[in-house]
């Protein structure tokens, strides 16, 4: 019992230091310190509790990075955010299953209708935030599911149109984006915007057998891992040529 209380004290202190960071350099240092504590706890506390603490750390880092970016935007002459917005996550972060080494999977929901001022502000903000998270230790997503990308950074009305478009296209790629979106979770900013996004996401799923079948098709598909001779198939092209795709192969 005393050991658990001690680890709780360590966690509280390391979490407090995260939210007090004022720059990407400080945020990175505090992430490293917090991860050190978490690694020491790995075989001490139940794995469910450990994963909860890891994902709490990730959320606090993201929330702090958002505030630092807002301050840097003001210093750069962009002023405060022109409207409400929400920072959201997908993938393992959305499911709160991220490890200490998970990469970025995130997006932005912007209030209201698109206009030039919003586009300029949030294009710069999304890029700044994604770059800052990379500096802090989160690799950029190879699939470009990040708030720096226009597909994952939209006003609520644009998001609703995009989600509807994905639901009505039963091809592999739009269904893949829809599955990625299903893990969405709110992290920072307007909770109301995130709630409206989720309402829009689930519209059109009820009694839609074609969509359900398309999602099932994408979900059960996996890469061939062996050839006819029983040899392991490696990636032929790109940055990972010669490597084995564990995520989609196994």
């Amino acid at each position: 019992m005393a050991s658990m209380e001690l680890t709780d004290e360590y966690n509280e202190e390391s979490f407090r230091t995260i939210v007090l960071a004022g720059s990407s350099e400080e945020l990175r240092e505090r992430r490293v310190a917090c991860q050190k504590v978490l690694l020491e706890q790995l075989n001490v506390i139940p794995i469910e509790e450990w994963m909860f603490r890891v994902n709490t750390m990730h959320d606090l880092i993201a929330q702090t990075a958002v505030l630092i970016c807002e301050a840097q935007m003001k210093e750069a002459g962009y002023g405060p955010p022109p409207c409400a917005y929400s920072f959201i996550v997908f993938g393992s972060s959305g499911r709160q299953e991220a490890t200490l080494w998970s990469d970025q999977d995130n997006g932005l929901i912007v209030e209201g209708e698109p206009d030039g001022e919003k586009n300029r502000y949030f294009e710069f903000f999304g890029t700044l935030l994604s770059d800052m998270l990379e500096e802090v230790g989160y690799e950029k997503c190879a699939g470009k599911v990040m708030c720096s990308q226009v597909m994952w950074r939209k006003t609520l009305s644009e998001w609703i149109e995009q989600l509807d478009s994905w639901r009505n296209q039963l091809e592999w790629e739009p269904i893949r984006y829809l599955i990625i979106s299903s893990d969405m979770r709110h992290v920072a900013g307007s909770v109301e915007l995130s709630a409206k996004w989720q309402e829009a996401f689930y519209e059109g799923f009820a009694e839609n057998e074609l969509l359900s079948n398309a999602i099932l098709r994408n979900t059960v598909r996996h890469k061939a891992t062996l050839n006819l001779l029983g040899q392991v198939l490696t990636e032929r092209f790109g940055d990972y040529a010669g490597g084995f795709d564990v995520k989609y192969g196994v």
Side-chain angles (χ1 to χ4, degrees), residues 3-4 7 11 38 41-51 53:
S3 177
M4 277 290 288
T7 59
N11 265 100
L38 288 165
Q41 297 173 354
L42 179 56
N43 297 313
V44 177
I45 63 177
I47 190 62
E48 297 86 355
E49 174 63 23
W50 188 80
M51 286 296 294
R53 295 181 182 188

Side-chain angles (χ1 to χ4, degrees), residues 17-219:
T17 64
I18 287 172
V19 300
L20 295 175
S23 67
S24 58
E25 293 80 9
E26 288 182 3
L27 196 54
R28 180 179 178 84
E29 290 173 3
R30 292 169 192 196
R31 172 185 170 159
V32 170
C34 191
Q35 287 192 165
K36 182 180 179 182
V37 173
L38 288 165
L39 284 171
E40 291 171 353
Q41 297 173 354
L42 179 56
N43 297 313
V44 177
I45 63 177
I47 190 62
E48 297 86 355
E49 174 63 23
W50 188 80
M51 286 296 294
F52 172 78
R53 295 181 182 188
V54 168
N55 283 271
T56 298
M57 178 195 72
H58 292 320
D59 285 359
L60 289 173
I61 290 171
Q63 291 160 6
T64 305
V66 165
L67 295 177
I68 294 172
C69 282
E70 281 193 14
Q72 291 186 357
M73 292 288 285
K74 289 181 183 177
E75 292 175 6
Y78 285 85
C83 61
Y85 69 93
S86 174
F87 177 73
I88 55 178
V89 292
F90 305 99
S92 59
S93 293
R95 298 188 300 273
Q96 293 185 293
E97 296 173 353
T99 68
L100 291 176
W101 305 275
S102 292
D103 61 2
Q104 294 186 46
D105 283 294
N106 53 55
L108 287 175
I109 310 168
V110 179
E111 183 182 43
E113 298 297 325
D115 62 43
E117 181 186 5
K118 289 178 187 176
N119 291 344
R120 284 189 297 274
Y121 182 93
F122 287 106
E123 179 180 5
F124 191 87
F125 180 85
T127 301
L128 183 65
L129 180 54
S130 183
D131 288 347
M132 181 176 295
L133 290 172
E134 183 180 35
E135 291 172 21
V136 172
Y138 299 93
E139 289 188 10
K140 289 186 175 178
C141 173
K144 300 187 183 300
V145 181
M146 296 176 292
C147 58
S148 56
Q149 305 298 311
V150 68
M151 180 182 289
W152 303 97
R153 182 191 71 244
K154 295 181 178 295
T155 64
L156 181 60
S157 60
E158 289 175 315
W159 264 115
I160 290 172
E161 289 180 9
Q162 179 163 274
L163 291 171
D164 187 56
S165 174
W166 288 344
R167 280 195 301 263
N168 288 303
Q169 298 179 61
L170 302 180
E171 290 83 5
W172 167 261
E173 198 72 4
I175 295 300
R176 184 173 76 89
Y177 295 143
L178 205 58
I179 292 172
I180 291 170
S181 299
S182 69
D183 290 324
M184 186 280 255
R185 184 170 63 85
H186 173 86
V187 171
S190 170
V191 175
E192 183 181 357
L193 279 174
S194 294
K196 289 181 178 177
W197 187 102
Q198 288 185 316
E199 287 178 13
F201 176 83
Y202 288 108
E203 287 180 3
F205 275 88
E207 300 179 4
N208 191 335
E209 186 175 352
L210 291 176
L211 181 58
S212 298
N213 289 340
I215 290 173
L216 180 62
R217 174 204 65 202
N218 277 43
T219 303

